[in-house]
C-alpha cells in the first residue's frame, strides 16, 4: 500500500533525489525525463551523477517497485499502479539563468503545456526548482485549472550530500495560497519529522533565494576577512573558529576559498539581484557579495604571480602550473561555474601553461575513456604527474585526498617548491617538512603579502 502517488518531472540531481527519497518514504513515484537514453540508463540502475548513496537508493526503490522511470511527462500520467492518477506532480526541470540574470522558465512551461490539461481534478503541482518569485502564480495562470493547486516547495540540497540532506532536512518549506494543498505536500515528508514552514507561495519562493544569497554573503565575508587577516597579520582559521562559537553565527560555511561557485549560488545571487532591480530596490549588500566573489578569483591569480615571480606585476608567461582540483567543490564531478576553471582561464590569459588533475575524472563514465582535458586544461592521470616540472602547485578544490598526498614526492617532481593552497586544507607544516613553501589564504606566517 503506497502513501501517495507522486510524479516527478526531470531527473537531474534534484528530481532524481526527490523521486528516490520520496519512494523510500513509501510513496509510489514515477519519474519522467525527456532524455530517452537517460531513462534507459536509469531503468538499468545507471546513475550518471556523482551523488553518494543515490545509485543504491534508486536500485533499492526500483526493485521494491516504488520507483519507475518513463520518457516524457505524458507517459508518467498513465504509469501508476492500476492506472490511477497522480496526486502530486513535482516540477524538477532546469531553470537556467537567462539573459540579464532572469531564470529561464521554458522547461516549466513546456511540462504544463504537455500535461496540464490531463491532470486529474485535485492534483497538486509542486515547483521544486529554484524559480523567481511569482512563478507559482504564473504556473497557475498557465495551467488555467481552478481544480489543480500550485505549491512552492523549494529544495535545500547540497550537491554531494543530496540524499542525506533530503532525508535529514533542517526544514521543509511549503508555500501556497491553497492551505489544503500545502498541507498535503507537507504530509509527504511527515516521516522525516523536520520543522515545517507553511507560508504563501511568494514567501517560499523568496526563501530559497534568501538562503542561498545569505550563504554566498557569508562566504564573501569570510574571503574578505581572510584578505584583511593577511594585511594585519591575523589568522583566518582562528578568527572563524572564534566567531563560529557564537551560535548566532555558527561554525558552518566559514572556510575561505577561491570563491563560491556551482550551479546554484552564482545563479541565485544574480537572479535575486534581478528581482530587487525589478522591484526598484538597490540591493547593495548583494551586489558587493557578488563583486567580492569575482575579485576573489583575481586575488588568487595575484597570489600566484607574487609567489612565483616575487613581484605583484611579474609575468606568468610560459610559467608551468599544476592545478589540483577542477570541480566547483569536492565530492562532485560538477564543473558548472567552478572557481577553479575561472582561475584557470585567468592564468591562461596571463600566459601560464596549465596541467590539471581532478580525482572525479580519473575514470570515464559508463565505460568510456576518461577525458584528456577540461575547458582547455590538459589532464594528468595523478597529482604527481600534474606537478611534474611545475613552478607552482595550486590546490583549488578541497578533495580530502590532497590533504594526504605524499607531498615529498610532489616536492621532487616540481621545478620550484611552491604550493598555493586556496582552500587551506593541506597542513603547512607538512608542506614545509617536504621542503615546499606554503601559501594559503589569510594565514599568519605565510608571508606572501609584502613585495
Ligand atoms: C547550495 C546550497 O548550499 C544548498 O542549500 C542549495 O540547496 C543548493 O545550493 C541549491 O540551490 O540547489 P551547492 O551548490 O551544492 O549547494 O554547494 P555548496 O555546498 O553550498 O557550496 C557552494 C560553494 O561555496 C562551493 O563553490 C564551495 O566550494 C564554496 N564554499 C562552501 C566555500 O568556499 N567555503 C565554505 O565554507 C563552504
Amino acid at each position: 500500500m503506497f502513501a501517495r502517488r507522486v510524479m516527478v518531472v526531470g531527473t537531474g540531481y534534484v528530481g532524481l533525489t526527490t523521486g528516490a527519497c520520496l519512494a523510500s518514504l513509501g510513496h509510489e513515484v514515477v519519474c519522467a525525463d525527456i532524455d530517452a537514453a537517460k531513462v534507459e540508463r536509469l531503468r538499468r540502475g545507471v546513475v550518471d551523477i556523482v551523488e553518494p548513496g543515490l545509485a543504491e537508493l534508486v536500485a533499492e526503490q526500483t526493485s521494491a517497485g516504488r520507483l519507475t522511470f518513463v520518457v516524457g511527462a505524458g507517459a508518467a500520467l498513465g504509469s501508476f499502479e492500476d492506472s490511477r492518477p497522480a496526486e502530486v506532480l513535482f516540477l524538477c526541470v532546469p531553470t537556467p539563468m537567462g539573459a540579464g540574470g532572469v531564470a529561464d522558465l521554458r522547461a516549466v512551461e513546456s511540462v504544463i503545456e504537455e500535461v496540464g490539461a490531463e491532470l486529474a481534478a485535485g492534483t497538486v503541482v509542486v515547483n521544486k526548482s529554484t524559480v523567481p518569485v511569482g512563478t507559482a502564480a504564473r504556473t497557475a495562470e498557465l495551467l488555467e485549472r481552478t481544480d489543480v493547486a500550485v505549491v512552492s516547495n523549494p529544495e535545500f540540497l547540497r550537491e554531494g550530500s543530496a540524499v542525506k540532506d533530503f532525508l535529514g532536512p533542517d526544514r521543509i518549506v511549503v508555500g501556497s495560497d491553497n492551505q489544503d494543498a500545502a498541507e498535503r505536500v507537507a504530509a509527504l515528508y511527515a516521516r522525516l519529522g523536520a520543522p515545517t514552514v507553511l507560508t504563501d507561495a511568494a514567501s517560499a519562493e523568496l526563501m530559497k533565494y534568501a538562503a542561498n544569497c545569505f550563504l554566498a554573503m557569508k562566504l564573501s565575508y569570510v574571503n574578505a576577512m581572510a584578505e584583511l587577516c593577511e594585511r594585519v597579520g591575523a589568522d583566518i582559521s582562528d578568527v572563524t573558529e572564534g566567531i563560529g562559537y557564537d551560535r548566532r553565527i555558527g561554525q558552518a560555511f566559514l572556510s575561505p576559498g577561491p570563491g563560491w561557485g556551482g550551479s546554484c549560488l552564482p545563479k541565485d545571487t544574480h537572479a535575486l539581484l534581478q528581482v530587487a532591480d525589478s522591484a526598484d530596490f538597490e540591493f547593495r549588500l548583494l551586489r558587493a557579495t557578488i563583486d567580492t566573489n569575482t575579485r576573489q578569483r583575481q586575488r588568487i591569480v595575484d597570489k600566484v604571480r607574487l609567489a612565483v615571480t616575487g613581484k605583484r606585476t611579474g609575468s606568468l608567461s610560459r610559467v608551468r602550473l599544476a592545478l589540483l582540483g577542477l570541480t566547483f567543490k569536492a565530492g562532485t564531478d560538477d564543473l558548472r561555474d567552478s572557481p577553479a576553471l575561472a582561475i584557470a582561464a585567468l592564468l591562461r590569459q596571463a600566459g601560464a601553461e596549465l596541467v590539471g588533475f581532478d580525482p572525479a575524472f580519473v575514470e570515464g563514465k559508463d565505460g568510456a575513456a576518461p577525458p584528456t582535458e577540461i575547458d582547455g586544461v590538459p589532464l594528468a592521470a595523478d597529482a604527481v604527474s600534474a606537478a611534474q616540472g611545475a613552478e607552482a602547485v595550486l590546490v583549488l578544490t578541497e578533495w580530502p585526498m590532497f590533504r594526504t598526498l605524499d607531498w615529498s614526492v610532489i616536492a621532487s617532481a616540481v621545478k620550484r617548491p611552491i604550493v598555493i593552497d586556496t582552500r587551506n586544507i593541506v597542513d603547512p607544516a607538512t608542506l614545509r617538512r617536504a621542503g615546499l613553501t606554503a601559501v594559503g589564504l589569510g594565514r599568519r606566517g605565510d608571508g606572501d603579502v609584502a613585495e
Side-chain angles (χ1 to χ4, degrees), residues 225-430:
M225 197 54 76
E227 184 168 358
L228 187 57
C229 283
E230 288 170 13
R231 288 171 191 252
V232 302
D235 191 277
I236 190 66
S237 61
D238 291 351
V239 171
T240 50
E241 186 190 354
I243 62 171
Y245 283 121
D246 185 328
R247 272 169 294 179
R248 294 168 303 172
I249 296 173
Q251 297 282 358
F253 245 72
L254 285 182
S255 305
W260 36 271
S263 66
C264 307
L265 266 46
K267 172 166 84 85
D268 293 354
T269 42
H270 282 99
L272 188 62
L273 206 52
Q274 190 70 28
V275 170
D277 278 351
S278 357
D280 222 3
F281 173 58
E282 171 85 55
F283 205 152
R284 289 205 176 87
L285 187 57
L286 186 54
R287 198 175 288 284
T289 296
I290 297 170
D291 290 347
T292 303
N293 198 48
T294 309
R295 195 171 159 269
Q296 186 68 2
R297 292 152 189 213
Q298 187 58 53
R299 199 167 100 73
I300 303 297
V301 174
D302 293 346
K303 262 180 181 286
V304 176
R305 207 184 281 281
L306 184 58
V308 171
T309 69
K311 293 197 190 101
R312 286 188 193 286
T313 51
S315 167
L316 289 177
S317 179
R318 300 243 169 114
V319 170
R320 187 181 167 97
L321 301 170
L323 310 184
L324 302 189
L326 296 171
T327 54
F328 84 95
K329 64 173 185 179
T332 173
D333 62 350
D334 199 336
L335 295 160
R336 285 177 289 176
D337 239 315
S338 169
L341 294 182
I343 290 164
L346 291 171
L347 290 169
R348 213 183 6 241
Q349 260 171 35
E353 287 168 12
L354 310 176
V355 183
F357 166 70
D358 192 298
F361 300 99
V362 168
E363 280 167 28
K365 274 189 185 170
D366 216 7
T372 53
E373 56 109 33
I374 287 172
D375 240 22
V377 179
L379 290 184
D382 52 53
V384 177
S385 318
Q388 209 70 46
E391 297 201 41
V393 175
L394 278 69
V395 177
L396 293 167
T397 305
E398 76 285 22
W399 288 105
M401 71 170 308
F402 297 152
R403 280 182 213 275
T404 52
L405 279 178
D406 189 341
W407 285 95
S408 56
V409 179
I410 302 267
S412 42
V414 292
K415 184 167 167 199
R416 297 182 55 201
I418 301 167
V419 176
I420 296 158
D421 179 3
T422 71
R423 300 276 184 172
N424 285 0
I425 55 158
V426 190
D427 174 30
T430 305

Side-chain angles (χ1 to χ4, degrees), residues 110-327:
S110 90
V111 177
I112 298 293
E113 209 167 285
E114 189 182 350
V115 297
E118 314 294 323
L119 298 173
T123 310
V124 182
V125 172
V126 185
N127 261 324
K128 193 88 179 145
S129 313
T130 305
V131 287
V133 180
T135 301
R138 174 90 189 109
T139 308
E141 265 170 37
L142 288 167
L143 261 169
E144 294 179 316
R145 297 273 306 258
T146 49
D147 57 346
V148 172
V150 178
V151 165
S152 164
N153 170 220
E155 53 82 18
F156 299 97
L157 314 175
R158 283 163 303 172
E159 285 188 33
S161 57
V163 171
K164 197 166 141 262
D165 288 349
F166 192 103
L167 296 174
D170 288 339
R171 77 303 210 180
I172 301 289
V173 173
V174 188
S176 178
D177 304 327
N178 180 325
Q179 187 69 17
D180 174 60
E183 280 170 15
R184 272 195 286 153
V185 172
L188 295 173
Y189 302 93
R191 277 178 54 190
L192 299 176
T196 301
V197 181
L198 286 180
T199 180
D200 59 90
S203 302
E205 288 165 342
L206 189 58
M207 213 178 295
K208 174 59 194 269
Y209 289 104
N212 273 358
C213 293
F214 189 87
L215 293 171
M217 186 182 69
K218 201 171 178 188
L219 294 176
S220 279
Y221 181 81
V222 167
N223 284 334
M225 197 54 76
E227 184 168 358
L228 187 57
C229 283
E230 288 170 13
R231 288 171 191 252
V232 302
D235 191 277
I236 190 66
S237 61
D238 291 351
V239 171
T240 50
E241 186 190 354
I243 62 171
Y245 283 121
D246 185 328
R247 272 169 294 179
R248 294 168 303 172
I249 296 173
Q251 297 282 358
F253 245 72
L254 285 182
S255 305
W260 36 271
S263 66
C264 307
L265 266 46
K267 172 166 84 85
D268 293 354
T269 42
H270 282 99
L272 188 62
L273 206 52
Q274 190 70 28
V275 170
D277 278 351
S278 357
D280 222 3
F281 173 58
E282 171 85 55
F283 205 152
R284 289 205 176 87
L285 187 57
L286 186 54
R287 198 175 288 284
T289 296
I290 297 170
D291 290 347
T292 303
N293 198 48
T294 309
R295 195 171 159 269
Q296 186 68 2
R297 292 152 189 213
Q298 187 58 53
R299 199 167 100 73
I300 303 297
V301 174
D302 293 346
K303 262 180 181 286
V304 176
R305 207 184 281 281
L306 184 58
V308 171
T309 69
K311 293 197 190 101
R312 286 188 193 286
T313 51
S315 167
L316 289 177
S317 179
R318 300 243 169 114
V319 170
R320 187 181 167 97
L321 301 170
L323 310 184
L324 302 189
L326 296 171
T327 54

